[in-house]
Structures are given as structure tokens and as C-alpha cells.
């Protein structure tokens, strides 16, 4: 999961010209006040005073340019980091109009006509398009999408606005919204065709291998998720978990078939809720769960409640059939364009078929990722905390622990490099893991993300991990491969 997250973060969606690093600019030559794109602004006029409130400070250079443009017509101009007050000079009247992060002011000497319904201030379209592109490329797709949607309302017929709206929705994970926007402007490039191919849903098959200590597992999955509407997606899948336990006396094997169905509802542009029902066919263990994810990549919150779901994490569960109930909450926040933090806390209840409550634990996971992009390459440094703390272990009548778990607290520091090789994106991570409760070692992995034609995608990763996990207390090797096919034609 860590690797997949970094793969996504390391692949910039849009190109960012250097000029986008400027925080503010003066659009046109009129008497205008311009804030950084994305600033929330409210403006009202009281007793011939214009009062403006904002959540980002205005640049001093903007104020100076406004003073020069207004000249003698400005009677009083006061501002701080959150508000501004403007009053025309005696003998002058003013009319103003707000457009996004710009306020245009027209002054006229008293006795002259002041157009209360003044012509709309010219829109610095190029600047606003570039600012949206910068937001998305810097890891703020939600902010970029909202700005693009606001611009599309005022410029509905401009094809450049339609394109930036489609790209922003695509970067923010709104596949169906992006596909609709691409289709509206008649886009036929590979990005647009792929969005239309995956918007109706996805079919996938995959395999995951885990091996460490006495336990080895191979999990094979097949799944289809189909979008019934812009708001509702239904899906289902089947997986088989084949486990092998090597002991001094013998080798134990077990294969558990599991089926699930799920419904995902898009509550709003950036909030999704999923309900799932999961059942193990051999043991009859059946459970359900709800997950909620709110927000875009720059600020995302998540929570989950899982009850009595089939689980094969530990040795005892892998051989005898297990259950897991879990409650988690957490989120991620982009502190700066290249710096992302995350934290998740939770509680687990492990069980066996016929014994729901065997072991209880608390979990803590967090981390920081710093990604620096130089041309087509991305370099990064990642820190991860992954801890689980045992609260209760139940013993069987024979006196042995029903589901054996130990405290673990893994601290991992890794370096990252990612870049394109032809159409593929390759990512490599290498670092070291320290477990506070004992056990240190390397954590090294390589990942591949390869689009094939219009509607196919191959994702693969593999390596060595020293991050202790239930059932795998020491070093382990892993490999994953996933082949996905969009349910749309791309047209």
C-alpha cells in the first residue's frame, strides 16, 4: 500500500511552467486588487466604504500598483492579513465588481456618470488556467478542480477551460466527471480516451505472494466494479487464499475461497461511502463493513468499521479459518507541495471460526513523504511508523494462545526514485526498518505501472520487507501483480 501511494504521488499529471511560482499578479492595467488564486474572498459596501475579507494576505506589490492606478481618487486604503477597507476621496464616487480572486474598482469624479453595472472586469484567463494547472501538478487536485469548475461557469464555451476542467477532475479521481468533460470538448488524445475507457468501471485479476518464517501465502483475486450512475458503483469479487505452514513435524496446507459484494456511493464530489458483505465459503464466516473517505489528496479523512470478516493474517487463522473486526480512523494532509503527512489509529479483534474474540490489539500507523520532482524524475524520502500493541490474548482449553500476536512497532526510513521508461512508470524504494520490540533489517522494493493500449493497465511490485506483520514477525519477501481492464471502449 505504501508503494502504491508513492507511485501515485510520484507521477505528475500536468506540466507546470516556472512562472506559476509567483504568488500574485496584476491582471490588465485597470484599478484592480488581485489575490492568489484559490483565496476565499467576501466583499461588501457600507457607507461609501468597500470592506473586503480574505483568508490569504494580499501582496504589497498589488497594493502599490492599485495606489498608482487609483491616484487621487483613493481617499483611504487600509489593510492587514485578513481584511481591507477602501474609501474614495472627497468628490469621487466608486463602483466595484468581484470576479473570483479579483476585484476591479472604477472611480469617477462626482457629477460624472459612474456605471453601477460596470462592464465585467477582463478575466486573466491564461493566468487562471496556469494557476489551476499548478495546483493539480503540485498535489492539490481538489483545489484545482474547484477553481476549474468556477471558471467553467463563467467561461462555459472556451475549449481551454473545458480541457482544464476535465484534467482537474481526472486528477481528483472523478473518472466519470472527467470522461463527460473530455467527451464534451471532443478530446481524442490518449489521456482522454483512457479516462473514458475506465469511467464505466474496471475488471481486474491479480496475485499476491507473501513468504516469511514458517508461513507462505498466495492470494489470487478476480473482481468487477461497474458504475451504474455518476453516484453509484456496484462490484463483486472472488479470491482464494492458499496458505502453507512448514513445521518441524509436517507441512500444513489450506485454501480458503472468499466472495464479496460491495456498493460505493459518491455522496459528494469528494466524499465516498462503501458498504461491503464478505463471506468465506469453506468456513461459513460472513461479515460486513462500511468505509468512508472524504476529501481530496491534499486533505483526506477516512474511517472504517469492519465486523466479523474472514481473515487469514496469522498462522492460526490461515490454517483454521479466522475472523477480524476492526475500527479505524485517520487521514492525510499535504503540508506543502512536496510534503505529505498521514496518521491512522484503530482497534482490532482477531478470532477463529467459532471463536470470535480471541485477541485484541490497538494499531497506530503514520508517516511523512517528501517528494522532489526534477524534470521527469521524482526523488523522495519516506518515513513510516507501523505499530500494533496487544491488549488481550485468550487461551484455549489446552493452555495455548488461540491467536498468537506480539507487540510490534516498526520505524522505516526509505529513499525513493521514480521516473518514466517509455510508457511505463518505474519506482524504486530502499531503506531500513527498526522494530522497537526487536528485529531490524532492509526494506527494498521495485514497482511498475504500465498502461497498455487504451483500456488496459499492468501494475506490479516486489521486494523484501522487514516490517513485522501479524503472521510474519520477521523478514519476508513479497510480490504483487494486477491486470486491469476498463469496461468502456475509450470513445
Amino acid at each position: 500500500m505504501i508503494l502504491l501511494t508513492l507511485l501515485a504521488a510520484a507521477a505528475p499529471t500536468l506540466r507546470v511552467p516556472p512562472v506559476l511560482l509567483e504568488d500574485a499578479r496584476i491582471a490588465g492595467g485597470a484599478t484592480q486588487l488581485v489575490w492568489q488564486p484559490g483565496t476565499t474572498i467576501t466583499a461588501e459596501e457600507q457607507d461609501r466604504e468597500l470592506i473586503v475579507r480574505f483568508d490569504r494576505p494580499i501582496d504589497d506589490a498589488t497594493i502599490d500598483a492599485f495606489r498608482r492606478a487609483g491616484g487621487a481618487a483613493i481617499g483611504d486604503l487600509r489593510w492587514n492579513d485578513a481584511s481591507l477597507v477602501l474609501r474614495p476621496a472627497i468628490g469621487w464616487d466608486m463602483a466595484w465588481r468581484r470576479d473570483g480572486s479579483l476585484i476591479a474598482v472604477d472611480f469617477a469624479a462626482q457629477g460624472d456618470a459612474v456605471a453601477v453595472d460596470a462592464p465585467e472586469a477582463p478575466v486573466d484567463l491564461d493566468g487562471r488556467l496556469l494557476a489551476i494547472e499548478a495546483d493539480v501538478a503540485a498535489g492539490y487536485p481538489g483545489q484545482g478542480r474547484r477553481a476549474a469548475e468556477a471558471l467553467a461557469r463563467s467561461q462555459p464555451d472556451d475549449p481551454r477551460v473545458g480541457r482544464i476542467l476535465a484534467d482537474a477532475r481526472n486528477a481528483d479521481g472523478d473518472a466519470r466527471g472527467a470522461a463527460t468533460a473530455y467527451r464534451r470538448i471532443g478530446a481524442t488524445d490518449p489521456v482522454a480516451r483512457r479516462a473514458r475507457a475506465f469511467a464505466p468501471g474496471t475488471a481486474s485479476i491479480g496475485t499476491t505472494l507473501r513468504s516469511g518464517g514458517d508461513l507462505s501465502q498466495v492470494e489470487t483475486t478476480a473482481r468487477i466494479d461497474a458504475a451504474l450512475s455518476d453516484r453509484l458503483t456496484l462490484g463483486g469479487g472472488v479470491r482464494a487464499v492458499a496458505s502453507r505452514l512448514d513445521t518441524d513435524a509436517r507441512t500444513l496446507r489450506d485454501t480458503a475461497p472468499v466472495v464479496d459484494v460491495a456498493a460505493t456511493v459518491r455522496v459528494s464530489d469528494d466524499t465516498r461511502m462503501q458498504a461491503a458483505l464478505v463471506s468465506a465459503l469453506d468456513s461459513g464466516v460472513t461479515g460486513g463493513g462500511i468505509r468512508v473517505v472524504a476529501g481530496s489528496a491534499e486533505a483526506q479523512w477516512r474511517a472504517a468499521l469492519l465486523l466479523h470478516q474472514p481473515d487469514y493474517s496469522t498462522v492460526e487463522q490461515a490454517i483454521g479459518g479466522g475472523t477480524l473486526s476492526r475500527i479505524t480512523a485517520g487521514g492525510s494532509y499535504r503540508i506543502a507541495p512536496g510534503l505529505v503527512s498521514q496518521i491512522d489509529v484503530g482497534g482490532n479483534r482477531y478470532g477463529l471460526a467459532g471463536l470470535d474474540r480471541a485477541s485484541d490489539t490497538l494499531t497506530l500507523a503514520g508517516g511523512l513523504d517528501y517528494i522532489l520532482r526534477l524534470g521527469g524524475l521524482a526523488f523522495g524520502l519516506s518515513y513510516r511508523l507501523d505499530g500494533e500493541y496487544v491488549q488481550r490474548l485468550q487461551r484455549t482449553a489446552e493452555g495455548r494462545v488461540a491467536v498468537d500476536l506480539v507487540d510490534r512497532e516498526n520505524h522505516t526510513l526509505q529513499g525513493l526514485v521514480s521516473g518514466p521508461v517509455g510508457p511505463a512508470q518505474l519506482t524504486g524504494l530502499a531503506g531500513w526498518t527498526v522494530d522497537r520490540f526487536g528485529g531490524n533489517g532492509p526494506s527494498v522494493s521495485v514497482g511498475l505501472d504500465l498502461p497498455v493500449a487504451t483500456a488496459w493497465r499492468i501494475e506490479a511490485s516486489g521486494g523484501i520487507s522487514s516490517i513485522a506483520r501479524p503472521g510474519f514477525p520477521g523478514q519476508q519477501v513479497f510480490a504483487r501483480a494486477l491486470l486491469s481492464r476498463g469496461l468502456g471502449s475509450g470513445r
Side-chain angles (χ1 to χ4, degrees):
M1 187 64 187
I2 294 170
L3 178 60
L4 294 179
T5 302
L6 292 173
L7 271 169
T13 305
L14 303 172
R15 181 181 57 82
V16 186
V19 70
L20 297 179
L21 299 178
E22 298 178 14
D23 290 334
R25 67 185 66 191
I26 302 300
T31 321
Q32 298 176 352
L33 296 165
V34 184
W35 282 261
Q36 181 180 351
T39 303
T40 301
I41 298 172
T42 60
E44 60 179 337
E45 187 173 348
Q46 297 179 1
D47 299 328
R48 298 188 73 240
E49 284 188 342
L50 174 61
I51 303 171
V52 187
R53 296 178 176 84
F54 36 88
D55 62 356
R56 298 183 188 176
I58 192 168
D59 194 281
D60 289 342
T62 302
I63 295 291
D64 292 340
F66 182 80
R67 283 188 185 277
R68 290 193 298 270
I74 298 176
D76 187 20
L77 177 60
R78 291 168 284 126
W79 75 98
N80 55 37
D81 287 346
S83 62
L84 178 147
V85 177
L86 170 66
R87 175 185 287 272
I90 297 175
W92 289 82
D93 291 322
M94 70 176 179
W96 58 276
R97 175 180 294 274
R98 184 172 75 85
D99 177 25
S101 58
L102 176 149
I103 293 181
V105 182
D106 290 328
F107 294 102
Q110 288 181 351
D112 295 338
V114 180
V116 176
D117 189 16
E120 188 170 346
V123 176
D124 179 18
L125 186 57
D126 287 341
R128 294 179 67 175
L129 290 173
L130 291 175
I132 293 169
E133 191 174 342
D135 283 340
V136 175
Y140 297 87
Q143 179 173 301
R145 174 184 55 79
R146 289 187 292 272
E149 289 172 346
L151 186 59
R153 287 192 289 269
S154 63
Q155 306 286 331
D157 300 322
D158 192 297
R160 294 179 299 166
V161 175
R163 178 69 199 209
I164 201 72
L165 174 61
D167 287 341
R169 284 178 173 172
N170 198 23
D172 199 32
D174 181 7
R176 288 183 66 87
T180 300
Y182 284 129
R183 191 174 290 111
R184 185 180 297 121
I185 62 175
T188 58
D189 59 280
V191 172
R193 291 200 307 271
R194 289 189 65 79
R196 291 197 291 267
F198 281 87
T202 305
S204 63
I205 56 174
T207 298
T208 300
L209 164 68
R210 298 175 290 265
S211 180
D214 298 331
L215 181 63
S216 298
Q217 289 182 323
V218 177
E219 181 175 331
T220 305
T221 64
R223 183 171 189 83
I224 295 179
D225 293 281
L228 301 187
S229 67
D230 290 344
R231 297 287 180 182
L232 178 63
T233 298
L234 294 181
V238 58
R239 61 189 172 106
V241 183
S243 302
R244 188 185 75 184
L245 176 63
D246 295 312
T247 68
D248 294 336
R250 57 177 178 161
T251 296
L252 302 177
R253 299 176 185 271
D254 186 79
T255 299
V258 181
V259 297
D260 75 274
V261 293
T264 303
V265 179
R266 185 165 163 259
V267 181
S268 64
D269 286 338
D270 56 6
T271 302
R272 289 168 174 80
M273 178 181 294
Q274 182 185 74
L277 183 66
V278 189
S279 180
L281 300 182
D282 59 342
S283 64
V285 172
T286 299
I290 296 177
R291 292 182 175 88
V292 178
V293 178
S296 298
E298 59 263 40
Q300 189 174 90
W301 313 102
R302 49 190 174 264
L305 175 63
L306 312 179
L307 297 175
H308 200 255
Q309 293 201 346
D311 185 61
Y312 307 94
S313 299
T314 70
V315 170
E316 296 84 6
Q317 292 177 307
I319 299 303
T323 68
L324 176 66
S325 296
R326 169 180 292 169
I327 183 170
T328 64
S332 57
Y333 182 74
R334 187 171 292 275
I335 302 170
L339 184 61
V340 179
S341 63
Q342 67 176 67
I343 187 168
D344 291 272
V345 297
N348 296 334
R349 173 159 291 175
Y350 297 87
L352 299 172
L355 178 63
D356 289 342
R357 185 183 181 185
S359 300
D360 294 336
T361 67
L362 296 177
T363 59
L364 173 64
L368 285 172
D369 294 301
Y370 178 73
I371 306 295
L372 175 65
R373 295 177 177 87
L374 298 175
L377 293 177
F379 301 90
L381 188 64
S382 170
Y383 165 75
R384 283 291 183 274
L385 164 65
D386 184 2
E388 186 166 17
Y389 310 94
V390 177
Q391 304 299 300
R392 190 187 64 85
L393 296 176
Q394 182 169 325
R395 296 185 177 274
T396 64
E398 295 79 17
R400 58 184 177 83
V401 176
V403 176
D404 195 12
L405 296 165
V406 296
D407 290 338
R408 57 187 182 87
E409 185 178 299
N410 303 281
H411 300 265
T412 303
L413 188 64
Q414 288 183 305
L416 171 148
V417 61
S418 180
V421 178
Q425 185 80 15
L426 286 177
T427 300
L429 296 110
W432 194 261
T433 297
V434 175
D435 189 341
R436 186 169 70 88
F437 295 101
N440 308 325
S443 291
V444 180
S445 60
V446 177
L448 167 73
D449 189 341
L450 174 64
V452 180
T454 297
W456 294 88
R457 178 181 295 277
I458 297 173
E459 299 168 79
S461 63
I464 300 171
S465 175
S466 297
I467 301 174
R469 303 185 187 283
F472 298 92
Q475 192 175 101
Q476 67 254 211
V477 297
F478 68 91
R480 303 183 184 96
L482 182 69
L483 175 64
S484 303
R485 206 297 186 184
L487 299 182
S489 65
R491 293 192 295 270

